[in-house]
Amino acid sequence: MAVNEKRIVEQLSAIYPEYAVKAADTADRGKLDWELVTTGVFAENELLQAYSLASGVPIAEESEFKHLTPIAEIPESYCSAWNIAVGRRANFSAVLLVSDPYRLDSHVYLMRKLLSLVPECYLLRRNAIEQLRAPGGAADDAGEDNPAASASEPELEETLRSMAGEARTVRLVNDILMAAVEQKASDIHVEPDEDRTVVRLRVDGLLREYLSLPLARHAAIVSRIKLLGNLNIAESRLPQDGRTNVQLARNSIDIRISTMPTLSGESVVMRLLNKGAVSFELANIGMLPEMEEVFDRLIRIPYGIILVVGPTGSGKTTTLYSVISKLSDASRKIITIEDPVEYQMPHLTQIQVNPKIGLSFASGLRHIVRQDPDIILVGEIRDRETADIAVNAALTGHLVLSTLHTNDAVGAIGRLLDMGVEPFLLSAVLYGVLSQRLVRRICPDCGGKGKINDMSCGNCSGWGYSGRTGIFELLRVDNDIRSAINRCATSSELEKLAIDNGMKPLIDDGMKKVELGITTAEEIRRVAIEI
């Protein structure tokens, strides 16, 4: 075994202790390494880092290698067989990109013999190398026929399954999933355009384009994703929803899959829930100490209703789970009813809504109160029936936590009254409303500049932001507000009362975090425009 291979064994054994044993039992080291990546033992970026440390070959910046000028003397069959990419540089030098360093000396020798120069060598992800060998989709890719398009109905499912099982399709989908996990993306969008398939990742609340592929590959990619979610791969005319769990580099990822037919083909969105990366700590959601103290007192009342409001994707579920995590102990029974159950937590009784069999929020909540709970979490109050049962549960000695889709804290009161909840009942049970949004945090490594020493920041990939925090507006329902609810005061009256009694508007909390250097004014304006 060559010295560099021994160093690779040492590096990978640090990640996976049994690696040295497995390496001793195989002659094809590259194949073993890739099998361990595809089965989730370690991530491809960990593999490349180990290769780089052991061989001294740097890892390429993918943005630097978007296109390569082919070298005619190096056969495509050779490049494909060893999964390498070669090309000429503008200064008449050459570049060699490899996914592993095991045959690097042989590749360099070949290029020296054919080209009479020593190439610059870099490590790069497998799928990125495949894309480089067919830049922009490659002539053969761009012009290839879609087998599914011409298949008859009986042949369609078999054809799609065959396409979904192709090695390059499996690798591509795995690569997309791994990239999403590495970039801490919450969603993956696979979208057909007129002549392209675009893959975008939602990172810190905003979409970023990750990959562009020929439209001819769209059916294979969608079919592969459908197989993962146990969906009907032959049905492309109707929306479908599925769910799966995958193991990626020691991360257990729960994936919710949604497909939707469009004019250009099926659009797919995958919501990623990384169970190992989520920490439900109330202290970590971003409240300033003064507000956290008031909110902590509110959630410790023995009965009543506390609401968390905001648009989709504003972190309401995380806040509620953080509250539950803080309140959970052996002396309390906590029951949740959700659609869907996003995170499984110990010591809770969790119920998932299933409208197909008649298990709605309202029907489930009606039975929950007979289970002797101390605290009830209702995923969302959507209608009058659910609201009425929640109010009755609060009146009979239960603490009810729930969410509403409203723009601000005061709006929750109007929304419940519009649903038909009696004002005197609402004023009796409502104790607090927390409105929130998520804003991106300034990257701690580059200070928001996106660069370190003229190089793109590795922590935020040059965006200047890394991670998110909350901005909040906490309405505490006191006697003045209760009286205003009873007389059906307008929203503007309620808001003035709340501010006079100490509520800080959402935008004020955001600007305080700007002063503290946590986020930027642009971020606050993006999510909390002052009307």
Side-chain angles (χ1 to χ4, degrees):
M1 185 180 286
V3 174
N4 66 333
E5 291 194 25
K6 289 181 179 178
R7 293 183 64 189
I8 290 172
V9 171
E10 292 171 3
Q11 296 291 336
L12 293 178
S13 296
I15 303 172
Y16 179 49
E18 297 180 24
Y19 181 80
V21 176
K22 291 182 177 293
D25 293 338
T26 182
D28 191 342
R29 294 284 313 290
K31 183 178 179 181
L32 168 65
D33 296 351
W34 186 246
E35 283 178 356
L36 294 175
V37 168
T38 56
T39 54
V41 174
F42 41 72
E44 189 174 6
N45 69 325
E46 293 177 314
L47 180 65
L48 291 181
Q49 287 165 9
Y51 285 160
S52 183
L53 287 170
S55 65
V57 179
I59 300 172
E61 284 282 344
E62 293 188 25
S63 58
E64 188 180 341
F65 294 102
K66 291 295 186 184
H67 303 286
L68 284 179
T69 303
I71 297 176
E73 293 88 343
I74 307 291
E76 168 59 26
S77 58
Y78 178 86
C79 295
S80 178
W82 297 107
N83 197 41
I84 66 172
V86 295
R88 295 191 188 275
R89 306 297 292 270
N91 58 358
F92 300 102
S93 64
V95 65
L96 168 62
L97 301 167
V98 298
S99 57
D100 68 63
Y102 294 121
R103 290 183 56 87
L104 187 62
D105 291 344
S106 299
H107 301 321
V108 170
Y109 174 78
L110 177 68
M111 294 185 72
R112 289 183 67 174
K113 193 164 184 64
L114 291 177
L115 305 173
S116 299
L117 55 82
V118 179
E120 298 174 33
C121 300
Y122 296 93
L123 291 160
L124 190 62
R125 293 179 305 107
R126 280 193 173 212
N127 192 63
I129 288 176
E130 287 183 353
Q131 295 303 316
L132 272 174
R133 289 206 306 270
D140 56 336
D141 255 356
E144 72 179 345
D145 292 328
N146 182 352
S150 58
S152 62
E153 192 70 28
E155 298 172 332
L156 180 59
E157 184 170 347
E158 184 179 347
T159 302
L160 290 172
R161 284 186 182 277
S162 175
M163 292 166 62
E166 290 176 356
R168 67 171 182 167
T169 302
V170 173
R171 282 201 304 271
L172 176 59
V173 173
N174 286 348
D175 189 68
I176 292 169
L177 290 170
M178 188 64 72
V181 172
E182 291 170 358
Q183 295 185 34
K184 300 181 178 64
S186 61
D187 301 85
I188 301 170
H189 292 240
V190 181
E191 303 163 323
D193 208 337
E194 289 185 3
D195 58 351
R196 310 291 294 166
T197 290
V198 179
V199 179
R200 298 194 291 171
L201 307 180
R202 188 175 293 280
V203 181
D204 293 336
L206 297 179
L207 284 169
R208 304 175 182 174
E209 184 169 324
Y210 168 68
L211 196 60
S212 178
L213 298 162
L215 190 60
R217 298 192 65 181
H218 188 76
I221 296 167
V222 172
S223 296
R224 175 63 187 167
I225 294 170
K226 284 182 173 181
L227 284 179
L228 290 175
N230 294 314
L231 301 179
N232 182 355
I233 63 172
E235 178 56 76
S236 60
R237 300 162 299 178
L238 296 172
Q240 295 187 68
D241 294 303
R243 192 167 190 164
T244 188
N245 184 274
V246 298
Q247 194 75 21
L248 293 171
R250 295 168 291 165
N251 292 300
S252 178
I253 311 296
D254 194 30
I255 304 176
R256 297 209 309 264
I257 301 169
S258 171
T259 70
M260 177 71 68
T262 72
L263 289 176
S264 302
E266 284 184 280
S267 172
V268 179
V269 175
M270 292 181 278
R271 166 66 56 90
L272 308 183
L273 301 173
N274 188 344
K275 299 174 183 177
V278 180
S279 174
F280 297 113
E281 295 288 339
L282 199 55
N284 295 338
I285 66 174
M287 280 188 186
L288 296 174
E290 183 182 349
M291 184 183 293
E292 186 180 344
E293 183 181 338
V294 175
F295 190 63
D296 187 70
R297 289 201 302 269
L298 278 175
I299 64 176
R300 294 186 184 280
I301 63 173
Y303 53 82
I305 293 178
I306 295 173
L307 298 172
V308 180
V309 304
T312 300
S314 59
K316 300 187 297 295
T317 299
T318 298
T319 296
L320 284 179
Y321 271 86
S322 298
V323 171
I324 289 292
S325 180
K326 187 158 191 171
L327 297 179
S328 179
D329 60 42
S331 68
R332 295 185 178 99
K333 178 160 184 175
I334 302 175
I335 304 179
T336 78
I337 180 164
E338 306 164 68
D339 182 22
V341 174
E342 292 194 7
Y343 300 99
Q344 295 181 30
M345 293 182 67
H347 315 304
L348 301 186
T349 301
Q350 294 177 276
I351 302 166
Q352 181 155 313
V353 166
N354 189 348
K356 292 180 180 177
I357 60 171
L359 181 56
S360 63
F361 279 118
S363 62
L365 187 53
R366 188 177 292 108
H367 290 281
I368 284 173
V369 295
R370 301 170 190 163
Q371 289 283 307
D372 189 30
D374 297 287
I375 300 171
I376 302 169
L377 188 155
V378 183
E380 183 184 351
I381 295 177
R382 296 177 177 173
D383 52 44
R384 177 173 181 174
E385 187 180 8
T386 305
D388 285 341
I389 300 170
V391 167
N392 287 328
L395 286 171
T396 53
H398 305 92
L399 175 60
V400 179
L401 307 169
S402 191
T403 71
L404 276 175
H405 285 94
T406 62
N407 290 326
D408 54 28
V410 168
I413 296 173
R415 177 77 184 279
L416 288 171
L417 292 175
D418 287 344
M419 284 183 184
V421 177
E422 294 291 344
F424 74 94
L425 291 176
L426 182 59
S427 66
V429 299
L430 187 63
Y431 278 78
V433 182
L434 181 73
S435 175
Q436 68 178 69
R437 302 289 190 279
L438 291 177
V439 294
R440 294 180 293 172
R441 301 177 68 102
I442 293 172
C443 174
D445 288 5
C446 67
K449 294 178 173 58
K451 290 183 177 293
I452 299 177
N453 298 327
D454 295 325
M455 295 289 289
S456 180
C457 173
N459 184 48
C460 67
S461 302
W463 289 84
Y465 298 94
S466 179
R468 290 191 288 177
T469 190
I471 60 172
F472 304 92
E473 176 180 273
L474 179 58
L475 168 64
R476 185 171 57 86
V477 180
D478 56 17
N479 288 334
D480 290 340
I481 300 238
R482 293 187 199 285
S483 297
I485 293 173
N486 282 330
R487 67 172 187 270
C488 296
T490 64
S491 293
S492 57
E493 290 180 78
L494 287 167
E495 184 171 18
K496 185 178 184 307
L497 267 177
I499 291 173
D500 289 345
N501 291 348
M503 182 183 83
K504 286 183 169 48
L506 195 70
I507 198 160
D508 289 1
D509 187 60
M511 295 312 293
K512 180 63 177 177
K513 290 183 169 76
V514 173
E515 292 176 20
L516 293 171
I518 296 171
T519 187
T520 64
E522 290 77 16
E523 272 296 285
I524 302 305
R525 285 193 289 269
R526 182 176 67 85
V527 303
I529 298 172
E530 194 167 23
I531 300 174

